[in-house]
Amino acid sequence: MSEDLKYALREVIELLGNEAASQLRQQAVDAKKGFFSGKDQLDPADLGLECLRLVYRLLFLFYIEARPELGYVPIAKSQVYLKGYSLESLRDLELKPLTTPHAREGHYFDNSLRRLFRLVAEGCGLGDPHQIELGDRIAGAKDTFALAPLDSRLFDDGVMPLLTKVRFPNAIWQQVIRLMSLTRGQGSGGNRRRRSGRVSYQLLSINQLGAVYEALLSYRGFFAADDLYEVKPAPQQGRVGGPDAEDSDGGEEEEADTPDRAGPGRRGRGAPPAEADKLETAWFVPASRLSDYREEERVYDLNEAGHRVLRKHPKGRFIYRLAGRDRQKSASYYPPQVLTQCLVKYALKELLGGERVTQADDILGLTLCEPAMGSAAFLNEAVNQLAEAYLTRKQAEVGRRIPHEDYPQELQRVRMAIADRNVFGVDLNPVAVELAEVSLWLNAIHGETDAQGRPQPARVPWFGYQLFTGNSLIGARHQLYRPGSLPKGAKLPWHEAPPRPGRKRPGQPVSEAGRMRAAPHAFAVRVEDQRGNVGQPVGDHGFGEPALEPLDGERGGQLSDEAPGIGKAGLDRHPPA
């Protein structure tokens, strides 16, 4: 099912991107502004990113509405929400024929979804005495509901300036919801075709959802500069079309990847044959070069009549495909659950069995930090294992067992406490940070009740001071700086002055840092002066000379290694500075 979703989401992003580009292009023409060139040109990377965020919104809502037991959306408690606001109500219309121009070009779907997005972003009914007492005063308003606001950039319209100018028609939204709601049949030739079925988001785990999230992070969008045809390496070869294809920089061929080991025969298990390569590397050539490629190197699709036709992308079309070696460069691979469980288990084994954790409450004082978190696969696993360890130890300490029917709720409460207070993370990709926020929340969400036992809206944590976009991996070496460049306001600040290498003392043994110069990781160096002013980590990859001493007359500088040893699900009692 998750494989089907990956193919569906890629197609949805292209569908939304082309409709948005068409409307934005018309708006540019009406305003007499440039579209493909000049300062007003549309950036396909920005458009692709906004469409990706919009799809992630839908994916989040599909998942959260399929799990009413989590207590966030009142889909099982309020008929008003179910019939008037929910995404589930729009799924009921996914196959309804749109027979008139007004039905196809209207904006019922668009208005409904934007209203739902606004409800999730801003919340409703919390702390509003008028709405709380509405059922007592107005007979027709007995079925009111409350929704906690989700403070996440994922639902912030400010990060989607392009799509806020666009209104998608019913025909587009219906196709989007249909693609995300139904699996696709498979099989061809003599094989029996599998019937399409309805996607059950309730069966998706957090790990499967994360795998779908990260599958599209390394894709990029671009506009076809000419009519483009798609080609592929021949099945028996590793390259496209012979020598001409080897020089991709000098020719007219447009690539979404370089031809390496990604062969044409590789495809996801959920991919139908006609679209077997749409999640893999793609190559595009103009019509003038199509004759340079053999028949087996051309990509075909099946039209509605069942005939094979060349896969063509007309000029100006928005194409969203796997981008070069971006997946390798950004490491956009979601680790399988068996890997996260194993690594986290043994990372925690020594800690939980040592002197630092002697009782259950000590677990709540730990801090989890992952410097390359992606969409928080390892953080979620660490939260899960620590929550289970806490409950196991707490029950032993107090001599009481939690009733079996209450254990899942108590486990979620501990998960939420750890995720809300003890989790920190950094990632280079800002979209991955947004996904990590939502993933951590979904993993720990639980419903609450008030003193009278009435269900309350789920609490939404805020990770604004815990999850950041940035690069936590730096290379740094031991260097010395003049004391005069360290104080604030120095004429030549230390970070602008070139560092000066130190000298090894005669007969002094090589330090640990010196022995590890060839190791595949680096130390971050903190520069601190006599007043305690701390500079930022600097330097490049590799290590300098070990066992340094200051140069003559320069005794004010002090160097210290920052080597916390925090890796995947690394743990420390103190939050990072």
Side-chain angles (χ1 to χ4, degrees), residues 108-130:
Y108 173 77
F109 280 83
D110 194 77
N111 293 335
S112 299
L113 285 170
R114 290 182 186 275
R115 182 173 53 187
L116 178 57
F117 295 157
R118 190 163 56 248
L119 277 178
V120 173
E122 301 174 0
C124 71
L126 294 178
D128 184 356
H130 297 292

Side-chain angles (χ1 to χ4, degrees), residues 206-364:
I206 288 293
N207 287 279
Q208 289 175 311
L209 196 62
V212 174
Y213 279 156
E214 291 206 12
L216 299 176
L217 284 180
S218 56
Y219 285 64
R220 69 176 174 89
F222 66 95
F223 292 112
D226 298 289
D227 289 346
L228 297 179
Y229 291 88
E230 198 164 329
V231 295
K232 63 181 180 181
Q236 295 80 16
Q237 299 178 1
R239 300 187 182 278
V240 181
D244 291 340
E246 294 182 10
D247 185 9
S248 60
D249 294 331
E252 299 177 67
E253 180 176 346
E254 295 194 31
E255 298 183 11
D257 202 350
T258 54
D260 51 10
R261 289 180 292 220
R266 295 174 55 203
R267 64 175 183 262
R269 288 173 293 177
E275 300 185 70
D277 58 350
K278 284 192 175 181
L279 285 185
E280 298 293 341
T281 304
W283 293 265
F284 305 91
V285 296
S288 59
R289 291 198 58 194
L290 187 61
S291 59
D292 297 341
Y293 294 84
R294 300 189 297 273
E295 184 68 18
E296 63 268 22
E297 295 172 329
R298 302 178 183 182
V299 176
Y300 286 86
D301 280 327
L302 296 178
N303 61 15
E304 294 181 357
H307 300 149
R308 296 173 75 241
V309 293
L310 285 169
R311 183 176 292 170
K312 178 182 177 182
H313 303 272
K315 179 179 179 180
R317 181 176 181 178
F318 177 75
I319 305 172
Y320 193 74
R321 299 298 288 273
L322 185 61
R325 299 187 63 84
D326 282 357
R327 173 166 290 176
Q328 292 89 336
K329 292 177 182 177
S330 63
S332 296
Y333 298 93
Y334 195 83
Q337 188 172 9
V338 63
L339 177 62
T340 58
Q341 286 177 341
C342 178
L343 289 179
V344 172
K345 174 183 176 181
Y346 288 101
L348 296 177
K349 185 176 181 180
E350 294 296 326
L351 179 68
L352 297 179
E355 298 179 355
R356 295 184 61 184
V357 179
T358 59
Q359 55 185 357
D361 288 345
D362 291 339
I363 294 177
L364 301 181

Side-chain angles (χ1 to χ4, degrees), residues 323-532:
R325 299 187 63 84
D326 282 357
R327 173 166 290 176
Q328 292 89 336
K329 292 177 182 177
S330 63
S332 296
Y333 298 93
Y334 195 83
Q337 188 172 9
V338 63
L339 177 62
T340 58
Q341 286 177 341
C342 178
L343 289 179
V344 172
K345 174 183 176 181
Y346 288 101
L348 296 177
K349 185 176 181 180
E350 294 296 326
L351 179 68
L352 297 179
E355 298 179 355
R356 295 184 61 184
V357 179
T358 59
Q359 55 185 357
D361 288 345
D362 291 339
I363 294 177
L364 301 181
L366 298 172
T367 296
L368 287 72
C369 178
E370 187 178 359
M373 63 181 171
S375 57
F378 283 93
L379 285 176
N380 274 321
E381 184 60 37
V383 168
N384 293 345
Q385 294 192 23
L386 285 176
E388 291 178 359
Y390 172 83
L391 286 182
T392 299
R393 296 188 180 209
K394 198 67 173 178
Q395 290 178 100
E397 290 173 6
V398 300
R400 291 203 315 268
R401 302 290 297 177
I402 301 173
H404 178 73
E405 62 274 12
D406 296 336
Y407 187 85
Q409 181 79 354
E410 293 300 321
L411 181 62
Q412 289 299 102
R413 289 181 58 195
V414 178
R415 285 178 179 176
M416 178 63 76
I418 294 175
D420 191 21
R421 301 186 305 172
N422 304 69
V423 167
F424 296 84
V426 181
D427 199 272
L428 270 174
N429 193 321
V431 180
V433 177
E434 298 171 20
L435 297 180
E437 293 178 355
V438 176
S439 179
L440 283 166
W441 176 58
L442 288 178
N443 186 52
I445 189 175
H446 63 284
E448 295 280 4
T449 57
D450 59 15
Q452 287 75 37
R454 294 175 300 187
Q456 296 294 307
R459 187 171 66 87
V460 178
W462 186 63
F463 296 106
Y465 288 138
Q466 296 170 241
L467 307 180
F468 294 91
T469 302
N471 192 347
S472 61
L473 303 180
I474 66 166
R477 57 190 176 197
H478 291 267
Q479 296 288 359
L480 299 179
Y481 298 85
R482 296 184 180 277
S485 66
L486 296 176
K488 185 178 180 180
K491 185 175 181 180
L492 185 60
W494 66 269
H495 53 83
E496 296 181 6
R500 304 180 64 177
R503 294 193 298 268
K504 181 182 175 182
R505 295 173 182 169
Q508 188 168 12
V510 176
S511 67
E512 182 67 19
R515 288 196 298 269
M516 297 177 64
R517 274 183 291 182
H521 41 268
F523 290 112
V525 178
R526 183 176 68 181
V527 182
E528 187 176 49
D529 66 7
Q530 292 175 334
R531 296 189 179 93

Side-chain angles (χ1 to χ4, degrees), residues 174-245:
Q174 187 186 51
Q175 189 174 351
V176 166
I177 293 175
R178 184 187 306 126
L179 285 168
M180 297 181 67
S181 295
L182 301 177
T183 61
R184 304 192 206 182
Q186 298 179 21
S188 60
N191 297 330
R192 185 176 180 180
R193 187 171 181 85
R194 190 186 75 181
R195 295 180 60 185
S196 296
R198 196 169 176 87
V199 174
S200 176
Y201 285 89
Q202 189 175 17
L203 299 179
L204 277 178
S205 68
I206 288 293
N207 287 279
Q208 289 175 311
L209 196 62
V212 174
Y213 279 156
E214 291 206 12
L216 299 176
L217 284 180
S218 56
Y219 285 64
R220 69 176 174 89
F222 66 95
F223 292 112
D226 298 289
D227 289 346
L228 297 179
Y229 291 88
E230 198 164 329
V231 295
K232 63 181 180 181
Q236 295 80 16
Q237 299 178 1
R239 300 187 182 278
V240 181
D244 291 340

